[in-house]
Amino acid sequence: MFVQLLRAVYVPQNVYCIHVDEKAPKKYKTVVQSLVNCFENIFISSKREKMAYTGFRRLQADINCMRDLVHSKFQWNYVINLCGQDFPIKTNKEIIHIRSKWKDKNITPGVIQPPSIKSKTSQSHLEFSPEGDIYVSPNAGFKVEPPHNLTIYFGSAYYVLTRKFVEFVLTDIRAKDMLQWSQDIHGPERHYWVTLNRLKDAPGSTPNAGWEGNIRAVKWRNKEGTVHEGCKGHYVQDTCVYGPGDLPWIIQSPSLFANQFDSTEPLVVSCLERWHRLRVLGQAEGPVEAHWHFQRESHFNTELNH
């Protein structure tokens, strides 16, 4: 799935920072490194985190890659984050076009945190990782108020951020203190970016923005019957892992990417990858070489018994 995702989003004029879970098997890390070594514009994050589904270490992994990207030799204008269960439903050309409509603004969908979410940032939470590690909060019980009297927002863990905003995140004292404060709140990746992007003096900020942005197409269980007509695959932690029956809904979405996919439904990614490749080749401005097309595969085997 990693190879399919990288293959779909790769273009030579972009730069890619790959974060590999520190808990991943050594063999997996070696294979990814071997693949990355083939490309000048792809590198592995210099600092790896032991990842969990949600939590501070997921947020820290983004920060680690941003720091590497800022200090890399490559020039770039904005950054988009992906996870291993994402897949693009817009081509690179389409993403650039959609991004241009926002001009020099960041895209961080979200709103002032609703009452149902506020309790998750007003108390310290333990962070659990898949391997059983527990992050022990430095602030037992109720947390202190947010630093610098910040108004906390709730939104998407996914974003499109300008380079100037990334540099702001890495250097501004409010951003640093907000990162420190976020270490023991629930789902900090869903609060951090959107909160900082609502600061009026932050580069590319959108103080009055809401949920607009269409970065991810996700089928949440609690949106069944309103945003979508049900998950055709199966739910994991209230998020739909797409099945083949979800493909029509996915490709009609205005979002840049869809989430989530996993290896239990391999046909979904294979079909989506072929659909995406055809769109890429159809938008090519130069001659298309034959080997850029995926080979046709037959799913029927004939067995003759004599």
Side-chain angles (χ1 to χ4, degrees):
M1 283 186 62
F2 167 68
V3 171
Q4 287 177 297
L5 173 59
L6 182 60
R7 184 164 58 197
V9 300
Y10 181 83
V11 291
Q13 64 267 31
N14 290 346
V15 57
Y16 302 86
C17 175
I18 310 297
H19 178 274
V20 181
D21 191 338
E22 181 59 25
K23 304 188 307 298
K26 184 177 180 181
K27 183 178 179 180
Y28 182 85
K29 293 177 182 175
T30 301
V31 172
V32 173
Q33 184 67 64
S34 298
L35 176 62
V36 167
N37 289 344
C38 299
F39 300 88
E40 184 184 12
N41 59 332
I42 306 178
F43 62 88
I44 292 178
S45 176
S46 61
K47 184 181 178 183
R48 289 194 284 249
E49 304 291 331
K50 293 182 178 181
M51 297 295 289
Y53 175 78
T54 184
F56 183 75
R57 282 179 275 195
R58 175 177 173 176
L59 175 59
Q60 186 64 58
D62 278 18
I63 299 286
N64 295 345
C65 259
M66 286 179 175
R67 189 169 285 113
D68 288 343
L69 285 165
V70 164
H71 291 105
S72 74
K73 63 180 181 180
F74 298 97
Q75 296 300 313
W76 51 274
N77 298 317
Y78 56 90
V79 64
I80 301 174
N81 64 335
L82 302 173
C83 80
Q85 293 174 304
D86 290 333
F87 205 83
I89 49 180
K90 295 291 184 287
T91 67
N92 189 73
K93 188 174 183 178
E94 290 167 338
I95 291 173
I96 291 172
H97 176 70
I98 293 169
R99 175 69 186 87
S100 67
K101 295 179 180 179
W102 285 72
K103 301 185 186 301
D104 58 351
K105 298 295 184 182
N106 307 302
I107 309 176
T108 58
V111 294
I112 291 179
Q113 57 179 354
S116 60
I117 300 296
K118 193 168 185 177
S119 64
K120 296 183 178 181
T121 59
S122 62
Q123 292 180 322
S124 297
H125 290 258
L126 299 179
E127 180 182 345
F128 294 86
S129 76
E131 64 179 7
D133 288 347
I134 300 176
Y135 172 82
V136 180
S137 165
N139 305 309
F142 285 90
K143 283 185 62 61
V144 296
E145 290 297 310
H148 307 282
N149 201 29
L150 290 172
T151 299
I152 304 301
Y153 283 72
F154 171 77
S156 175
Y158 299 103
Y159 50 70
V160 182
L161 306 175
T162 66
R163 178 168 185 144
K164 287 184 178 179
F165 182 80
V166 170
E167 292 169 349
F168 163 83
V169 166
L170 297 176
T171 59
D172 188 87
I173 187 62
R174 292 166 295 177
K176 291 181 177 181
D177 290 347
M178 174 70 182
L179 186 65
Q180 181 70 24
W181 183 83
S182 300
Q183 286 192 19
D184 60 345
I185 67 173
H186 180 82
E189 70 279 7
R190 301 202 66 180
H191 295 89
Y192 187 72
W193 310 110
V194 64
T195 295
L196 294 177
N197 191 39
R198 297 304 185 264
L199 294 174
K200 292 182 178 180
D201 63 327
S205 67
T206 55
N208 300 316
W211 283 108
E212 62 268 25
N214 293 323
I215 298 179
R216 282 300 183 287
V218 182
K219 283 189 173 183
W220 300 101
R221 190 195 296 267
N222 63 359
K223 299 295 183 181
E224 191 170 312
T226 54
V227 175
H228 62 89
E229 296 305 315
C231 178
K232 311 304 180 185
H234 61 279
Y235 286 107
V236 174
Q237 294 178 327
D238 294 327
T239 305
C240 179
V241 174
Y242 295 121
D246 292 303
L247 285 169
W249 183 86
I250 293 170
I251 64 175
Q252 291 171 11
S253 171
S255 297
L256 306 181
F257 302 88
N259 175 282
Q260 70 187 34
F261 304 89
D262 73 24
S263 56
T264 63
E265 298 279 2
L267 184 60
V268 185
V269 175
S270 295
C271 288
L272 194 56
E273 184 180 26
R274 287 175 174 271
W275 173 83
H276 183 268
R277 176 63 64 90
L278 287 173
R279 289 183 66 84
V280 171
L281 298 180
Q283 296 170 7
E285 297 178 2
V288 174
E289 298 184 27
H291 69 272
W292 291 352
H293 287 273
F294 287 120
Q295 291 183 348
R296 293 184 178 274
E297 295 180 2
S298 173
H299 296 284
F300 301 94
N301 292 317
T302 303
E303 183 177 307
L304 299 178
N305 295 315
H306 295 280

